[in-house]
Amino acid sequence: MNKILSLLLLPLFLIIHLIPRNKNIFLFGSNKKTNFSDNPKYLFIEINKYKDKKKKFIYVSKNKQALIEAKKYGDAVYIYSFRSIILHLRAYYFINSHSIDDFIAVLTGGAVIIQLWHGLPLKMIGNDADFKNVKFKKLKINFYWKIFPYLNYKKHTYLCVANKIFTDYFISAFHAKPKKLLFIKQPRVQFFEKNNLITRTETETETETETETETETEKIISLFPTYRGENLLSFFEYVSDESLIKLNEIANKQNYTIYIKPHPIELQSLSKIKKLNLNKIFIYDEIDPYPLGAKSDLIVTDYSSIYLDLITLNKKIAFICPDINKYQKEIGLYFDYYDNRNTPGYKFSTFDEFVNNIDMCLISNFDYSYILRNQSTQNIIDLINNRLL
């Protein structure tokens, strides 16, 4: 949005503060209006089960497929429709996961923004990432955002924190006030716990348990590499065809199924993997990674915080970090990557090293207690009812 348009929209943003808002109207949005995913998705699914006739829960998106999915659980509307604009003007609560641009930002004046966020800060986020090496720019942009708050993608009234370990990081990254933090269990984690999708062994039938031995049972191994931006090589640049072929051979021998969940930006670049015709390695191209994570036995990542959610679901974790020094310098990490309290899993500096030790990862026994004992347990639906309404 250019500066001239920003100036023109400021009076509108201020005038909207005068419009009375309805505390019974909740809008949900995610990932800059593009899909039905992440914490808003799972909270939307659960909160619609309450069948509260007084309250209206509406999901907004510009993506038709996202609206089709959302309508399976509740009310959903195209974000640029006339009805959506009216809802933006009247809704009291806006619940999102990525940015104020999950909604029509200029129409949020005077509303309560509940930012669930979409990850935990292993890698630097928000202010800490945006202004890592440019302190003067931080002062300039923060001043600009005070004048035009609807341009600040981090704009929130309340910020949700899922683990107390990361409290100070969230305060720094979002310039948040401690009294505006909501310590809640992430809706996506709570959803899979509640629906008994914690581990594959817990959902096996008695027949399956009796007829399948541990060695015969298929194991699902899922890779969740993070997107590194334009200044660093993609994770897949460190993965050779020979390594993938070897991994496929091991998977056939040990009855593993391997899924690779790339960032959407990198999805098209993985055609080379498909050309290898590997029968046990698949590209997972769904937007939402959590259904895959919930049914996996081993979670493999580099710097994605997804492992912090899936630890709660009792998954084995492993890390591949071929460019740790470059990543630390370019993006930054909040804590010591090799401290097993924070990253409880085997660390491998190459993809080949991981492939050679994949069996070991599946029987690892790292201590998750430091992360688990600091996790928030509050149900956000209860918190909304008891504190915010």
Side-chain angles (χ1 to χ4, degrees):
M1 188 180 295
N2 61 50
K3 292 182 179 180
I4 295 177
L5 184 57
S6 300
L7 288 169
L8 294 175
L9 290 176
L10 182 59
L12 173 62
F13 178 75
L14 296 174
I15 291 170
I16 286 173
H17 282 73
L18 303 176
I19 299 175
R21 293 186 174 274
N22 187 337
K23 286 190 174 183
N24 287 321
I25 301 178
F26 295 69
L27 290 193
F28 293 74
S30 179
N31 209 359
K32 296 187 177 179
K33 317 175 187 69
T34 59
N35 51 57
F36 183 52
S37 66
D38 222 284
N39 281 313
K41 166 186 173 178
Y42 293 107
L43 179 56
F44 183 76
I45 292 173
E46 288 299 309
I47 208 167
N48 270 291
K49 294 178 181 178
Y50 282 67
K51 304 295 182 183
D52 189 329
K53 294 182 179 180
K54 292 183 179 180
K55 296 181 176 63
K56 296 180 180 179
F57 308 112
I58 303 101
Y59 201 95
V60 295
S61 177
K62 64 181 181 181
N63 183 285
K64 291 183 179 179
Q65 186 58 41
L67 294 175
I68 291 172
E69 290 296 315
K71 285 179 180 179
K72 294 177 182 178
Y73 306 98
D75 193 4
V77 61
Y78 179 64
I79 196 164
Y80 296 119
S81 67
F82 178 74
R83 182 180 176 225
S84 172
I85 291 172
I86 297 301
L87 288 169
H88 272 75
L89 294 173
R90 295 289 287 127
Y92 192 85
Y93 295 104
F94 289 69
I95 299 175
N96 66 331
S97 61
H98 283 70
S99 145
I100 191 60
D101 291 317
D102 295 343
F103 309 106
I104 303 174
V106 73
L107 301 183
T108 62
V112 172
I113 313 297
I114 302 176
Q115 171 58 272
L116 299 176
W117 199 238
H118 57 276
L120 289 168
L122 166 62
K123 62 184 179 182
M124 288 188 176
I125 58 174
N127 287 336
D128 300 330
D130 297 342
F131 311 118
K132 187 171 184 284
N133 299 310
V134 278
K135 301 300 182 184
F136 176 74
K137 182 181 178 182
K138 176 179 179 179
L139 294 173
K140 182 179 177 181
I141 295 297
N142 279 334
F143 178 75
Y144 182 69
W145 280 338
K146 284 184 179 296
I147 300 175
F148 307 106
Y150 49 90
L151 300 180
N152 180 2
Y153 74 93
K154 303 184 299 297
K155 182 178 183 293
H156 65 276
T157 310
Y158 295 101
L159 176 63
C160 296
V161 179
N163 195 304
K164 295 177 182 178
I165 295 171
F166 307 111
T167 301
D168 291 340
Y169 305 146
F170 272 109
I171 291 173
S172 175
F174 287 84
H175 197 59
K177 297 178 180 178
K179 65 181 180 180
K180 294 296 184 179
L181 300 181
L182 301 179
F183 293 93
I184 57 100
K185 176 169 284 191
Q186 296 202 68
R188 61 195 182 202
V189 173
Q190 186 172 330
F191 175 86
F192 287 103
E193 287 181 332
K194 185 176 180 180
N195 290 279
N196 296 319
L197 296 173
I198 297 178
T199 63
R200 288 168 53 77
T201 54
E202 289 178 2
T203 57
E204 288 175 346
T205 65
E206 291 183 8
T207 302
E208 287 173 328
T209 305
E210 292 172 359
T211 58
E212 293 182 355
T213 66
E214 185 66 25
T215 56
E216 291 172 339
T217 303
E218 177 196 41
K219 296 291 185 181
I220 295 180
I221 300 168
S222 298
L223 280 69
F224 297 93
T226 191
Y227 176 61
R228 288 162 160 73
E230 298 178 355
N231 296 329
L232 294 173
L233 290 176
S234 164
F235 173 85
F236 300 101
E237 295 294 331
Y238 298 96
V239 180
S240 67
D241 291 353
E242 291 77 15
S243 295
L244 289 169
I245 292 170
K246 182 177 181 180
L247 178 58
N248 193 68
E249 292 173 352
I250 294 173
N252 274 289
K253 181 179 179 180
Q254 302 285 48
N255 198 18
Y256 301 157
T257 297
I258 316 291
Y259 289 98
I260 299 174
K261 171 63 177 84
H263 189 282
I265 292 176
E266 297 187 304
L267 187 59
Q268 297 301 319
S269 65
L270 298 187
S271 57
K272 71 170 187 176
I273 295 180
K274 294 180 179 180
K275 292 178 180 178
L276 294 174
N277 294 318
L278 304 171
N279 70 319
K280 298 292 283 184
I281 300 178
F282 305 93
I283 305 299
Y284 186 83
D285 58 4
E286 298 293 327
I287 291 293
D288 188 352
Y290 286 91
L292 173 62
K295 69 178 183 180
S296 299
D297 298 283
L298 172 63
I299 305 301
V300 186
T301 187
D302 45 9
Y303 314 110
S304 171
S305 66
I306 191 171
Y307 79 91
L308 291 162
D309 292 336
L310 297 174
I311 276 176
T312 305
L313 304 184
N314 198 30
K315 306 299 179 181
K316 303 296 185 183
I317 312 294
F319 300 88
I320 306 173
C321 45
D323 58 348
I324 180 67
N325 293 330
K326 292 179 180 179
Y327 193 90
Q328 178 73 276
K329 182 178 180 180
E330 180 68 25
I331 307 296
L333 300 171
Y334 281 110
F335 45 70
D336 182 359
Y337 190 79
Y338 291 97
D339 185 343
N340 285 334
R341 295 182 308 161
N342 301 312
T343 52
Y346 289 112
K347 318 292 190 305
F348 303 105
S349 58
T350 68
F351 190 78
D352 284 339
E353 188 182 0
F354 160 70
V355 171
N356 291 332
N357 292 280
I358 192 169
D359 297 338
M360 178 178 70
C361 296
L362 280 162
I363 59 172
S364 64
N365 190 30
F366 283 82
D367 183 4
Y368 297 166
S369 62
Y370 177 66
I371 293 173
L372 293 176
R373 70 170 177 262
N374 285 287
Q375 281 191 331
S376 306
T377 58
Q378 174 76 60
N379 182 322
I380 189 171
I381 297 177
D382 293 339
L383 186 146
I384 288 173
N385 287 330
N386 297 333
R387 175 174 170 180
L388 301 183
L389 293 182

